Amino acid sequence: MDIVGFLKSQFICHLLICYIFIVSGLIINFIQLFTLILWPINKQLFRRINCRLAYCISSQMVMLLEWWSGTDCTLYTDPASYPKYGKENAIVILNHNFEIDFLCGWNFCERFGVLGSSKVLAKKELSYMPIIGWMWYFLEIVFCKRKWEEDRKTVIQKLLNLRDYPEKFWFLIHCEGTRFTEQKHQISMKVAEAKGLPKLKYHLLPRTKGFAVTVQCLRNVVSAVYDSTLNFRNNENPTLLGVLNGKKYHADLYVRQDVPRDEQECSTWLHKLYQEKDAFQEEYYRTGAYPAVPTTPPRRPWTLLNWLFWALLLLYPLFKLLINMINSGSSLTLASFAFVIIIASVGVRWMIGVTEINKGSTYGNNDNKQKRK
């Protein structure tokens, strides 16, 4: 292992990265709170400012993938569609198989300049999560309880509010509703069998209601639906902890474009889409490539520059405080600092744990339990 790789694997480096992310994130959340006074005065200015503030947070995560880990991202797509990416509003369908698939989705957004304004359909619990959850609140992210009877009215209203959004945006959606596991897959295929739908080998059965409503509500502002299928070469199993350790992965993303036309067609179209995604997945496992032209979108410097800005701003006072504490020689002060380090370590591990598959949502499992009652 070279010296750079060794340093990337050290916990003290991870702690400093997380310190910068947490402190800068809370500062930005605090600034976002004050932007609320703009909403009744100039809603579009409020939105533009919060897109840039949100970029300061989310780009730090992308920086880890692009610059710290050095992960390669190859895009497979139709050359005719490529020039449109980032220049039109779009709904992006993502598969949900890996611990860092959300990060690769953000990387896709960053390469085409829409990271700060990107939207998601997220579970309500995430809105209470400091930094990212709070950032999403100011971005007008669509949160749901994943109980359609309770969500429908709220989701529709929030989607309709995005029709006059001043920035180009991509709306990222996991139509499977939860991350793939073998247990959830077995349950999902039992549902497919009961409904007379074709079974899938590599995906869960897509949930069509949320997708159909999203398409209908955003029809006048969204130009296309991008179906994206993510895989990693050599059967890599990427994790956020691996990225933090500086491990380099090789991501392949297949993107194709289409537009379903009405609510009934959305349901049929989506089921057909996932059957095709299964076939593409099979092809990828067999050949190691997708049936499209590979290209590598240029990596932009802004994620790194943003992180360096916050690092220079926040590390100096931290080191100065640490030196003063050591010079003081107070055992109570040093013990307090050690306690803070322990708490920070636990916090870092908790944040990483949020992305781990074995600690993921039980959403698909709970659905099955409800049907048995």
Side-chain angles (χ1 to χ4, degrees), residues 15-33 52-61 63-64 130-132 134-135 303 305-315 317-318 351:
L15 204 58
L16 290 175
I17 288 172
C18 292
Y19 160 76
I20 294 167
F21 177 74
I22 291 170
V23 176
S24 65
L26 292 175
I27 290 172
I28 292 166
N29 285 160
F30 187 69
I31 295 172
Q32 288 181 304
L33 184 64
R52 282 141 189 86
L53 290 173
Y55 182 84
C56 291
I57 295 177
S58 54
S59 68
Q60 292 188 51
M61 299 289 291
M63 185 283 298
L64 284 178
I131 304 176
I132 292 179
W134 296 348
M135 169 193 81
T303 57
L305 293 175
N306 173 71
W307 186 84
L308 289 174
F309 166 79
W310 287 106
L312 292 171
L313 183 68
L314 297 174
L315 288 179
L318 175 67
M351 292 181 69

Side-chain angles (χ1 to χ4, degrees), residues 4-159:
V4 174
F6 174 76
L7 289 174
K8 287 181 178 180
S9 67
Q10 298 307 296
F11 179 72
I12 186 64
C13 291
H14 304 167
L15 204 58
L16 290 175
I17 288 172
C18 292
Y19 160 76
I20 294 167
F21 177 74
I22 291 170
V23 176
S24 65
L26 292 175
I27 290 172
I28 292 166
N29 285 160
F30 187 69
I31 295 172
Q32 288 181 304
L33 184 64
F34 281 93
T35 65
L36 285 173
I37 62 175
L38 291 173
W39 181 265
I41 302 170
N42 191 329
K43 182 173 70 172
Q44 303 299 45
L45 178 61
F46 166 89
R47 286 168 156 174
R48 292 182 187 279
I49 290 174
N50 274 284
C51 283
R52 282 141 189 86
L53 290 173
Y55 182 84
C56 291
I57 295 177
S58 54
S59 68
Q60 292 188 51
M61 299 289 291
V62 175
M63 185 283 298
L64 284 178
L65 187 73
E66 289 188 328
W67 297 92
W68 183 261
S69 165
T71 292
D72 291 327
C73 296
T74 301
L75 178 66
Y76 291 78
T77 193
D78 178 7
S81 300
Y82 185 88
K84 301 176 183 178
Y85 296 155
K87 297 180 176 62
E88 61 182 3
N89 294 334
I91 296 170
V92 182
I93 299 174
L94 301 165
N95 56 329
H96 210 5
N97 297 63
F98 303 99
E99 289 184 8
I100 65 166
D101 48 20
F102 78 97
L103 196 51
C104 292
W106 278 4
N107 179 65
F108 183 33
C109 292
E110 162 58 22
R111 295 292 174 100
F112 294 98
V114 293
L115 176 60
S117 58
S118 63
K119 313 296 178 190
V120 295
L121 182 62
K123 57 185 178 182
K124 181 68 174 178
E125 292 84 350
L126 292 177
S127 65
Y128 306 116
M129 185 177 178
I131 304 176
I132 292 179
W134 296 348
M135 169 193 81
W136 278 349
Y137 171 81
F138 291 97
L139 274 182
E140 301 170 70
I141 293 303
V142 181
F143 293 107
C144 61
K145 299 177 182 178
R146 301 201 288 198
K147 296 178 181 177
W148 188 241
E149 295 75 17
E150 299 179 25
D151 286 331
R152 183 180 178 87
K153 184 177 179 181
T154 302
V155 168
I156 289 176
Q157 185 56 56
K158 289 183 177 180
L159 287 169

Side-chain angles (χ1 to χ4, degrees), residues 196-334:
L197 296 170
K199 292 186 177 181
L200 305 172
K201 292 178 64 176
Y202 306 106
H203 299 87
L204 305 180
L205 199 66
R207 297 168 184 266
T208 61
K209 291 180 181 178
F211 173 73
V213 166
T214 301
V215 170
Q216 295 306 309
C217 290
L218 298 181
R219 175 167 298 283
N220 294 333
V221 295
V222 165
S223 302
V225 175
Y226 301 155
D227 168 46
S228 62
T229 303
L230 175 70
N231 270 298
F232 289 85
R233 296 179 191 175
N234 305 316
N235 293 318
E236 293 171 330
N237 184 25
T239 64
L240 186 56
L241 186 59
V243 171
L244 200 55
N245 279 318
K247 184 174 181 180
K248 183 175 181 177
Y249 299 107
H250 301 79
D252 287 327
L253 186 68
Y254 178 42
V255 180
R256 53 198 182 124
Q257 179 177 331
D258 200 354
V259 184
R261 290 166 181 77
D262 56 51
E263 187 167 356
Q264 180 57 41
E265 182 184 344
C266 277
S267 178
T268 305
W269 181 88
L270 191 61
H271 282 298
K272 183 174 181 293
L273 180 83
Y274 269 78
Q275 293 165 36
E276 293 171 353
K277 286 170 79 72
D278 240 36
F280 293 139
Q281 195 86 319
E282 186 84 49
E283 179 74 8
Y284 184 87
Y285 287 147
R286 189 175 62 84
T287 66
Y290 288 115
V293 179
T295 184
T296 302
R299 183 170 58 179
R300 308 192 321 157
W302 309 119
T303 57
L304 181 61
L305 293 175
N306 173 71
W307 186 84
L308 289 174
F309 166 79
W310 287 106
L312 292 171
L313 183 68
L314 297 174
L315 288 179
Y316 173 74
L318 175 67
F319 290 140
K320 186 175 180 180
L321 175 63
L322 180 59
I323 291 171
N324 290 339
M325 291 174 65
I326 294 173
N327 290 337
S328 72
S330 168
S331 57
L332 178 61
T333 301
L334 293 176

